[in-house]
Amino acid sequence: MQLDNLYQEVILDHYKNPQHKKLSPTYDAQVHHINPSCGDEITLNVTLSGDTVANVSWDGVGCSISQASVSILSDLVLGKTLAQAQEISDSFMALMQSKGTQTGDENLLEDAVALAGVSQYPARIKCALLGWMAFKDASVQALAKNQ
Ligand code: ZN
């Protein structure tokens, strides 16, 4: 897989220095998502404060794409409202489905635009989306629990 060198660096930096990779002892919801086709696994905890993402933490194993993507996601959604997190997530989904035709909205997606090249590799899209699906699942469960 050939990715732009700068983007490759952003992905490797998140892979080697993952953000929020330490499961918090308390949480509103915990989910465990796997991507069997690659062997990626992510456990993710979410805590909400009202409709704001008060804490996101995770642990996982797998390829650099999956682990970097969940690190980027956790950085992006922390402190955001669920509506803002949804907007970011929708934008990332659209980017992953773009088959390499989009570069992504850097204002919204920040480091996640580094994963734009993954959209050209259908087998790797699930790796990139794993953490995002886990977050979506956990935030829905956390919201339901707090109602
Ligand atoms: Zn993977």
Side-chain angles (χ1 to χ4, degrees), residues 35 38-40 62-66 123-124 126-128:
N35 173 22
C38 182
D40 309 317
C63 69
S64 58
I65 300 288
S66 67
R124 309 307 302 278
K126 277 186 186 167
C127 300

Side-chain angles (χ1 to χ4, degrees), residues 121-144:
Y121 303 88
R124 309 307 302 278
I125 294 172
K126 277 186 186 167
C127 300
L129 287 179
L130 185 65
W132 297 70
M133 298 306 229
F135 172 73
K136 197 171 191 177
D137 186 11
S139 59
V140 167
Q141 288 186 32
L143 198 60

Side-chain angles (χ1 to χ4, degrees), residues 91-92 96 111 115 125:
S91 179
F92 187 70
M96 286 300 106
D111 280 359
L115 292 158
I125 294 172

